Structures are given as structure tokens and as C-alpha cells.
Amino acid sequence: MTTDLGSVLRRILDEVSKVVVGKADIKELLLVTLMSRGHLLIEGYPGTAKTTVARVFSQAIGGEFKRIQFTPDMLPADVTGFYMYLPDGSSRFISGPVFANVLLADELNRATPRTQAALVEAMQESQVTIEGITHQLPFPSMVVASQLPYGGAGTYPLTEVQSDRFLLRAWSAYPPQEDEQTIIDSIDRIETVRVEAVTEPQEILELQEAVRAIHVSPKVDEYIVSLVRSVRENPDVLAGPSPRASIALHKASRALAFLEGRDYVIPDDVKKLFLPALEHRMRAKPEAEMEGVTPWNIIEKVLKETPVPKQLEATE
Ligand SMILES: Nc1ncnc2c1ncn2[C@@H]1O[C@H](COP(=O)(O)OP(=O)(O)O)[C@@H](O)[C@H]1O
Ligand SMILES: [Mg+2]
């Protein structure tokens, strides 16, 4: 280890907080996702700083940052890249914005399904294949996608298969009264402050390595799987969470433990991440939806009803 990795995390948080007021939950989920080598989906109403928080985070962690503002006329090649043929018969690969250390995929649900699929495939495989030739994405490479929570004209909701590829999903809420006052009061600074890169890709790779060494006891894994299975078996659930949800919860919990200065995961880590790891990977049955049941309700109920394995309770 070349540096104090805890200080890297603090530096990133401080830098992001130069611009973004509050939003502690999203800042934390961005770090957890980065440390787990995952991708983050941020949903929320317009004007709730989705783009701002993703952009500032990307700038703070350094490396190469790219942004795609999705529109319905965007083609897969606009994401992945293409071959340019030269007059002498040779060809050159022009890489698309997906070849970045951080890609901000803004308003993802405005892209057509084909273009969404091209992005999601690249995210999942860390590579892009064009005309039979495979190109590796750089390390680290993280996608932060933003979108509006509702459909509406000109949007194409992600399929469950696609949203399953996001490690976590964050909800960008309206700010509390106090924060909103701070935002308007400091808007001139917010709009002009320079965000510096406070780390570099090598340190991120070391962070990711360190997080893999965090201990998850068999009892904690038992708790994770019990939670996910309870959601899957809930009678109101139409499309249940796959083992990807359990894997996400396992990985993200390790990162949260690291962030909080522990080298082992506790049930509270799992509880805290259960909603962000599950909500975007499931749907309630239409008849349950009609009665007002949402994935959120189901997740809350399962959290309340699933006991923490006995041995773990004693050590808490
Ligand atoms: N919590 C916040 N901290 C700093 N600026 C904020 C915050 N919430 C909203 N803003 C400001 O509101 C405006 C809209 O933010 P933006 O990131 O474009 O929202 P979105 O992408 O969710 O539509 C920006 O000027 C941004 O600086
Ligand atoms: Mg935006």
C-alpha cells in the first residue's frame, strides 16, 4: 500500500462537498460503488443535482472522465466507438466515450433500447467488441447513470436485465429546508468553484484490492441470502431479485465496512445497503401495485421480519 487509503476516501468526500450540499447518502453510495468495482444508477426528479454530483465525483477521482447526454437519436456507435476506413484501405478504431475511468451516462432512459444495450453490455463485460475485434475498457471504469424515475414521452425504461447490471441504485431526493437555503446562499461559489482531482486510478485500484480483503463471516452471508430469498418468495413480487442481488449486497457491504474503518462486515452494513441493492432489481405484481404495494414496501417488510442470525446478534 503506497498511501493511507482512508485518507483517499476523505479527500474525495471533501472535494465533492465543495460543490454538493448534503446528499451524504449519494456520496456514500458513489464511494461504495467505486470501491466495489460496480456501476451506480441515480434516479430522481429534475434539478436534484444528479448530474452535478456525478460530474463532481468524477472530477475528484481523476483519471479520464467522459459524459454522454442520451437522446433518442443516439446510436450504439456513439457509445462504444467505430472503425473509420481510410482511403488506403486501412482502418482505425475511434473509441467511444465508454472508454473512460468514469462515464456519466446522463438521462439513460432517453436512449433507445439498442443503445442502452450497447452500454450495459460494455459495463458488464468490461470490453467492447466491434467488427469482431475486442477492446478492453480501462481500469478502473465506472458508469454513473442518471435518469428520471418515471417514464413519460420519449423515454424507454430499462429492462430488469439491464438494471440488474447496476450494483446499486441511489435516490436523489429534494433537499431538506436547511440544505436548500445553503444551496441558494452559496450558488455563486457552487457554480464557479474548481474541482480538483484528489486521487488517481492507481490508488483506486489499491482501494478496490483492499476492499476485497474485508472479512464477511458465513453468518453474514447467511443473513444476506435469507433477506434476498425472502424478497424473491414474497407473494407480491413479480420479478424477483437474482443472485446478482446477493452478490451486490456482499460486495457493497465489504466496501461500506471499509469506509467505516472496520475490516469485517456487520449486519448493519447489510441493512443499510439492502434498499439500494434491491429496489431496482424487482417489480411488484400488477395486482399488488394496484393496491399501492411498491418494491420499497416489500423491502421494508422483509427487513423487519427477517431475523439476524443468532451468533451475530451477540457480537453486535
Ligand atoms: N444538493 C445540492 N448541492 C449543490 N447544488 C445543488 C444541489 N441541489 C441542486 N443543486 C443545483 O441545482 C441545479 C440543478 O442540478 P442538476 O445536477 O443539473 O440536477 P439534475 O441533473 O438532477 O436535473 C444546479 O445548479 C445545482 O448546482
Ligand atoms: Mg441532469
Side-chain angles (χ1 to χ4, degrees), residues 84-126:
M84 189 170 74
Y85 288 90
L86 303 170
D88 66 1
S90 65
S91 63
R92 213 177 104 205
F93 181 57
I94 309 292
S95 64
V98 75
F99 290 85
N101 292 119
V102 182
L103 170 67
L104 169 53
D106 225 0
E107 311 208 25
L108 180 56
N109 57 357
R110 295 191 62 212
T112 58
R114 257 181 83 206
T115 303
Q116 290 172 354
L119 173 67
V120 167
E121 200 179 300
M123 280 163 51
Q124 181 198 338
E125 295 174 1
S126 298

Short mmCIF file of all heavy atoms in Angstrom, two decimals, residues 84-126:
data_model
loop_
_atom_site.label_atom_id
_atom_site.label_comp_id
_atom_site.label_asym_id
_atom_site.label_seq_id
_atom_site.Cartn_x
_atom_site.Cartn_y
_atom_site.Cartn_z
N MET A 84 -13.02 3.67 -38.51
CA MET A 84 -13.01 4.63 -39.60
C MET A 84 -12.12 4.04 -40.70
O MET A 84 -10.99 3.62 -40.42
CB MET A 84 -12.41 5.94 -39.11
CG MET A 84 -12.55 7.06 -40.10
SD MET A 84 -12.08 8.62 -39.32
CE MET A 84 -10.31 8.42 -39.28
N TYR A 85 -12.67 3.96 -41.91
CA TYR A 85 -11.89 3.39 -43.00
C TYR A 85 -11.18 4.49 -43.76
O TYR A 85 -11.77 5.50 -44.11
CB TYR A 85 -12.80 2.56 -43.91
CG TYR A 85 -13.18 1.30 -43.20
CD1 TYR A 85 -14.32 1.24 -42.40
CD2 TYR A 85 -12.35 0.17 -43.27
CE1 TYR A 85 -14.64 0.11 -41.70
CE2 TYR A 85 -12.67 -0.98 -42.57
CZ TYR A 85 -13.81 -1.02 -41.78
OH TYR A 85 -14.10 -2.13 -41.08
N LEU A 86 -9.89 4.29 -43.98
CA LEU A 86 -9.07 5.31 -44.62
C LEU A 86 -8.94 4.99 -46.10
O LEU A 86 -9.12 3.84 -46.52
CB LEU A 86 -7.71 5.36 -43.94
CG LEU A 86 -7.79 5.62 -42.43
CD1 LEU A 86 -6.44 5.42 -41.76
CD2 LEU A 86 -8.34 7.01 -42.14
N PRO A 87 -8.63 5.99 -46.91
CA PRO A 87 -8.56 5.79 -48.37
C PRO A 87 -7.58 4.69 -48.77
O PRO A 87 -7.79 4.00 -49.78
CB PRO A 87 -8.06 7.15 -48.89
CG PRO A 87 -8.40 8.13 -47.82
CD PRO A 87 -8.39 7.39 -46.53
N ASP A 88 -6.53 4.47 -47.98
CA ASP A 88 -5.56 3.42 -48.36
C ASP A 88 -6.04 2.02 -47.98
O ASP A 88 -5.30 1.05 -48.09
CB ASP A 88 -4.19 3.72 -47.73
CG ASP A 88 -4.24 3.61 -46.20
OD1 ASP A 88 -5.32 3.29 -45.66
OD2 ASP A 88 -3.20 3.84 -45.55
N GLY A 89 -7.29 1.91 -47.51
CA GLY A 89 -7.84 0.58 -47.22
C GLY A 89 -7.65 0.14 -45.78
O GLY A 89 -8.25 -0.83 -45.33
N SER A 90 -6.80 0.88 -45.04
CA SER A 90 -6.62 0.51 -43.63
C SER A 90 -7.77 1.09 -42.81
O SER A 90 -8.56 1.88 -43.31
CB SER A 90 -5.28 1.04 -43.12
OG SER A 90 -5.32 2.45 -43.13
N SER A 91 -7.84 0.71 -41.55
CA SER A 91 -8.90 1.24 -40.70
C SER A 91 -8.34 1.59 -39.34
O SER A 91 -7.32 1.06 -38.91
CB SER A 91 -10.03 0.21 -40.57
OG SER A 91 -9.55 -0.94 -39.93
N ARG A 92 -9.04 2.51 -38.70
CA ARG A 92 -8.60 2.97 -37.38
C ARG A 92 -9.79 2.95 -36.43
O ARG A 92 -10.88 3.37 -36.80
CB ARG A 92 -8.07 4.39 -37.52
CG ARG A 92 -6.93 4.69 -36.58
CD ARG A 92 -6.42 6.09 -36.82
NE ARG A 92 -6.94 6.91 -35.73
CZ ARG A 92 -7.12 8.22 -35.83
NH1 ARG A 92 -6.91 8.85 -36.94
NH2 ARG A 92 -7.56 8.88 -34.79
N PHE A 93 -9.55 2.44 -35.21
CA PHE A 93 -10.64 2.41 -34.23
C PHE A 93 -10.76 3.76 -33.54
O PHE A 93 -9.80 4.27 -32.98
CB PHE A 93 -10.37 1.30 -33.18
CG PHE A 93 -11.47 1.19 -32.16
CD1 PHE A 93 -12.79 0.95 -32.56
CD2 PHE A 93 -11.20 1.33 -30.81
CE1 PHE A 93 -13.81 0.85 -31.62
CE2 PHE A 93 -12.22 1.23 -29.86
CZ PHE A 93 -13.53 0.98 -30.27
N ILE A 94 -11.95 4.33 -33.62
CA ILE A 94 -12.23 5.59 -32.91
C ILE A 94 -13.04 5.20 -31.67
O ILE A 94 -14.20 4.81 -31.78
CB ILE A 94 -13.07 6.55 -33.79
CG1 ILE A 94 -12.43 6.73 -35.18
CG2 ILE A 94 -13.27 7.89 -33.08
CD1 ILE A 94 -11.11 7.46 -35.19
N SER A 95 -12.39 5.27 -30.51
CA SER A 95 -13.07 4.75 -29.32
C SER A 95 -14.17 5.71 -28.86
O SER A 95 -14.04 6.93 -28.97
CB SER A 95 -12.06 4.51 -28.20
OG SER A 95 -11.47 5.71 -27.81
N GLY A 96 -15.24 5.13 -28.36
CA GLY A 96 -16.38 5.92 -27.89
C GLY A 96 -16.19 6.32 -26.43
O GLY A 96 -15.22 5.90 -25.78
N PRO A 97 -17.13 7.11 -25.89
CA PRO A 97 -16.99 7.61 -24.53
C PRO A 97 -17.00 6.53 -23.45
O PRO A 97 -16.61 6.80 -22.31
CB PRO A 97 -18.19 8.56 -24.37
CG PRO A 97 -19.06 8.34 -25.53
CD PRO A 97 -18.26 7.69 -26.61
N VAL A 98 -17.42 5.32 -23.79
CA VAL A 98 -17.43 4.27 -22.78
C VAL A 98 -16.00 3.92 -22.33
O VAL A 98 -15.79 3.38 -21.24
CB VAL A 98 -18.22 3.03 -23.28
CG1 VAL A 98 -17.43 2.23 -24.30
CG2 VAL A 98 -18.65 2.15 -22.13
N PHE A 99 -15.01 4.31 -23.14
CA PHE A 99 -13.61 4.08 -22.76
C PHE A 99 -13.15 5.22 -21.85
O PHE A 99 -12.46 6.14 -22.27
CB PHE A 99 -12.71 4.00 -24.00
CG PHE A 99 -12.95 2.74 -24.79
CD1 PHE A 99 -13.96 2.69 -25.74
CD2 PHE A 99 -12.19 1.61 -24.56
CE1 PHE A 99 -14.20 1.52 -26.45
CE2 PHE A 99 -12.42 0.44 -25.27
CZ PHE A 99 -13.43 0.39 -26.22
N ALA A 100 -13.59 5.16 -20.60
CA ALA A 100 -13.24 6.20 -19.64
C ALA A 100 -13.10 5.57 -18.27
O ALA A 100 -13.61 4.47 -18.04
CB ALA A 100 -14.35 7.25 -19.60
N ASN A 101 -12.42 6.25 -17.36
CA ASN A 101 -12.37 5.75 -15.99
C ASN A 101 -13.70 5.99 -15.29
O ASN A 101 -14.13 5.18 -14.48
CB ASN A 101 -11.24 6.41 -15.20
CG ASN A 101 -9.88 5.99 -15.72
OD1 ASN A 101 -9.09 6.82 -16.16
ND2 ASN A 101 -9.59 4.71 -15.71
N VAL A 102 -14.33 7.11 -15.60
CA VAL A 102 -15.69 7.34 -15.14
C VAL A 102 -16.51 7.86 -16.31
O VAL A 102 -16.12 8.81 -16.98
CB VAL A 102 -15.78 8.36 -13.99
CG1 VAL A 102 -17.22 8.50 -13.52
CG2 VAL A 102 -14.90 7.95 -12.82
N LEU A 103 -17.63 7.22 -16.55
CA LEU A 103 -18.54 7.68 -17.60
C LEU A 103 -19.84 8.12 -16.95
O LEU A 103 -20.47 7.35 -16.22
CB LEU A 103 -18.83 6.54 -18.59
CG LEU A 103 -19.97 6.83 -19.58
CD1 LEU A 103 -19.57 7.94 -20.54
CD2 LEU A 103 -20.35 5.57 -20.34
N LEU A 104 -20.21 9.35 -17.20
CA LEU A 104 -21.52 9.83 -16.75
C LEU A 104 -22.52 9.58 -17.88
O LEU A 104 -22.44 10.21 -18.93
CB LEU A 104 -21.44 11.32 -16.38
CG LEU A 104 -22.76 12.05 -16.14
CD1 LEU A 104 -23.63 11.33 -15.12
CD2 LEU A 104 -22.49 13.47 -15.67
N ALA A 105 -23.41 8.65 -17.66
CA ALA A 105 -24.43 8.30 -18.65
C ALA A 105 -25.72 9.03 -18.24
O ALA A 105 -26.53 8.51 -17.48
CB ALA A 105 -24.64 6.79 -18.70
N ASP A 106 -25.84 10.25 -18.74
CA ASP A 106 -26.90 11.13 -18.25
C ASP A 106 -28.22 10.87 -18.99
O ASP A 106 -28.24 10.80 -20.21
CB ASP A 106 -26.46 12.59 -18.44
CG ASP A 106 -26.75 13.44 -17.22
OD1 ASP A 106 -27.29 12.89 -16.24
OD2 ASP A 106 -26.43 14.63 -17.25
N GLU A 107 -29.29 10.75 -18.22
CA GLU A 107 -30.64 10.53 -18.76
C GLU A 107 -30.69 9.28 -19.63
O GLU A 107 -31.15 9.29 -20.76
CB GLU A 107 -31.12 11.78 -19.50
CG GLU A 107 -30.90 13.02 -18.63
CD GLU A 107 -31.86 14.15 -18.91
OE1 GLU A 107 -32.97 13.88 -19.40
OE2 GLU A 107 -31.50 15.30 -18.62
N LEU A 108 -30.21 8.19 -19.03
CA LEU A 108 -30.08 6.92 -19.74
C LEU A 108 -31.40 6.43 -20.34
O LEU A 108 -31.40 5.84 -21.42
CB LEU A 108 -29.52 5.86 -18.77
CG LEU A 108 -29.30 4.46 -19.29
CD1 LEU A 108 -28.38 4.46 -20.51
CD2 LEU A 108 -28.71 3.57 -18.20
N ASN A 109 -32.51 6.68 -19.67
CA ASN A 109 -33.77 6.16 -20.22
C ASN A 109 -34.34 6.99 -21.38
O ASN A 109 -35.42 6.71 -21.87
CB ASN A 109 -34.84 5.92 -19.13
CG ASN A 109 -35.15 7.15 -18.32
OD1 ASN A 109 -34.54 8.21 -18.49
ND2 ASN A 109 -36.09 7.02 -17.41
N ARG A 110 -33.55 7.97 -21.86
CA ARG A 110 -33.95 8.65 -23.09
C ARG A 110 -33.32 7.97 -24.32
O ARG A 110 -33.68 8.28 -25.45
CB ARG A 110 -33.57 10.13 -23.05
CG ARG A 110 -34.33 10.87 -21.95
CD ARG A 110 -34.16 12.36 -22.08
NE ARG A 110 -34.70 12.86 -23.34
CZ ARG A 110 -34.21 13.90 -24.01
NH1 ARG A 110 -33.14 14.51 -23.55
NH2 ARG A 110 -34.76 14.28 -25.14
N ALA A 111 -32.37 7.07 -24.09
CA ALA A 111 -31.78 6.33 -25.21
C ALA A 111 -32.70 5.19 -25.61
O ALA A 111 -33.49 4.71 -24.80
CB ALA A 111 -30.42 5.78 -24.80
N THR A 112 -32.57 4.76 -26.88
CA THR A 112 -33.38 3.62 -27.32
C THR A 112 -32.79 2.34 -26.74
O THR A 112 -31.62 2.29 -26.35
CB THR A 112 -33.38 3.51 -28.85
OG1 THR A 112 -32.01 3.39 -29.28
CG2 THR A 112 -34.00 4.73 -29.50
N PRO A 113 -33.61 1.27 -26.70
CA PRO A 113 -33.13 0.01 -26.12
C PRO A 113 -31.83 -0.51 -26.74
O PRO A 113 -30.97 -1.03 -26.03
CB PRO A 113 -34.30 -0.95 -26.39
CG PRO A 113 -35.51 -0.07 -26.40
CD PRO A 113 -35.05 1.22 -27.02
N ARG A 114 -31.64 -0.30 -28.04
CA ARG A 114 -30.40 -0.79 -28.67
C ARG A 114 -29.17 -0.09 -28.11
O ARG A 114 -28.13 -0.69 -27.87
CB ARG A 114 -30.45 -0.53 -30.19
CG ARG A 114 -30.75 -1.76 -31.00
CD ARG A 114 -30.74 -1.41 -32.47
NE ARG A 114 -29.40 -1.40 -33.01
CZ ARG A 114 -29.03 -0.68 -34.07
NH1 ARG A 114 -29.90 0.13 -34.67
NH2 ARG A 114 -27.81 -0.74 -34.53
N THR A 115 -29.30 1.21 -27.93
CA THR A 115 -28.17 1.99 -27.42
C THR A 115 -27.95 1.68 -25.94
O THR A 115 -26.81 1.55 -25.49
CB THR A 115 -28.42 3.48 -27.67
OG1 THR A 115 -28.63 3.64 -29.08
CG2 THR A 115 -27.26 4.33 -27.23
N GLN A 116 -29.04 1.56 -25.19
CA GLN A 116 -28.91 1.17 -23.78
C GLN A 116 -28.19 -0.17 -23.68
O GLN A 116 -27.29 -0.36 -22.85
CB GLN A 116 -30.29 1.02 -23.13
CG GLN A 116 -31.03 2.33 -22.94
CD GLN A 116 -32.47 2.11 -22.48
OE1 GLN A 116 -32.96 0.98 -22.41
NE2 GLN A 116 -33.16 3.20 -22.18
N ALA A 117 -28.58 -1.11 -24.57
CA ALA A 117 -27.99 -2.45 -24.52
C ALA A 117 -26.49 -2.39 -24.79
O ALA A 117 -25.71 -3.11 -24.16
CB ALA A 117 -28.68 -3.37 -25.52
N ALA A 118 -26.08 -1.53 -25.71
CA ALA A 118 -24.65 -1.42 -26.04
C ALA A 118 -23.87 -0.96 -24.81
O ALA A 118 -22.78 -1.48 -24.51
CB ALA A 118 -24.44 -0.44 -27.19
N LEU A 119 -24.42 0.00 -24.08
CA LEU A 119 -23.74 0.50 -22.89
C LEU A 119 -23.69 -0.58 -21.80
O LEU A 119 -22.65 -0.85 -21.21
CB LEU A 119 -24.46 1.74 -22.35
CG LEU A 119 -23.94 2.24 -21.00
CD1 LEU A 119 -22.52 2.77 -21.14
CD2 LEU A 119 -24.83 3.30 -20.40
N VAL A 120 -24.84 -1.21 -21.57
CA VAL A 120 -24.93 -2.18 -20.49
C VAL A 120 -24.02 -3.39 -20.76
O VAL A 120 -23.37 -3.91 -19.85
CB VAL A 120 -26.41 -2.61 -20.29
CG1 VAL A 120 -26.52 -3.82 -19.41
CG2 VAL A 120 -27.20 -1.45 -19.72
N GLU A 121 -23.93 -3.77 -22.02
CA GLU A 121 -23.06 -4.90 -22.38
C GLU A 121 -21.59 -4.56 -22.11
O GLU A 121 -20.85 -5.36 -21.55
CB GLU A 121 -23.26 -5.22 -23.86
CG GLU A 121 -22.83 -6.59 -24.27
CD GLU A 121 -23.09 -6.78 -25.76
OE1 GLU A 121 -24.26 -6.68 -26.16
OE2 GLU A 121 -22.11 -6.99 -26.49
N ALA A 122 -21.22 -3.34 -22.47
CA ALA A 122 -19.83 -2.92 -22.23
C ALA A 122 -19.54 -2.87 -20.74
O ALA A 122 -18.48 -3.31 -20.27
CB ALA A 122 -19.60 -1.54 -22.86
N MET A 123 -20.50 -2.37 -19.94
CA MET A 123 -20.34 -2.30 -18.49
C MET A 123 -20.14 -3.67 -17.89
O MET A 123 -19.33 -3.88 -17.02
CB MET A 123 -21.63 -1.75 -17.86
CG MET A 123 -21.82 -0.28 -17.92
SD MET A 123 -23.54 0.17 -17.61
CE MET A 123 -23.94 -0.69 -16.11
N GLN A 124 -20.93 -4.60 -18.38
CA GLN A 124 -20.95 -5.93 -17.79
C GLN A 124 -19.67 -6.70 -18.13
O GLN A 124 -19.14 -7.43 -17.30
CB GLN A 124 -22.17 -6.64 -18.35
CG GLN A 124 -22.37 -8.03 -17.84
CD GLN A 124 -23.30 -8.76 -18.77
OE1 GLN A 124 -24.06 -8.16 -19.52
NE2 GLN A 124 -23.25 -10.08 -18.74
N GLU A 125 -19.20 -6.53 -19.34
CA GLU A 125 -18.07 -7.34 -19.79
C GLU A 125 -16.73 -6.61 -19.71
O GLU A 125 -15.69 -7.20 -19.98
CB GLU A 125 -18.32 -7.84 -21.21
CG GLU A 125 -19.51 -8.78 -21.23
CD GLU A 125 -19.92 -9.20 -22.63
OE1 GLU A 125 -19.27 -8.77 -23.59
OE2 GLU A 125 -20.89 -9.96 -22.73
N SER A 126 -16.78 -5.33 -19.34
CA SER A 126 -15.55 -4.51 -19.30
C SER A 126 -14.82 -4.52 -20.63
O SER A 126 -13.60 -4.38 -20.70
CB SER A 126 -14.59 -4.97 -18.19
OG SER A 126 -15.19 -4.83 -16.96
#
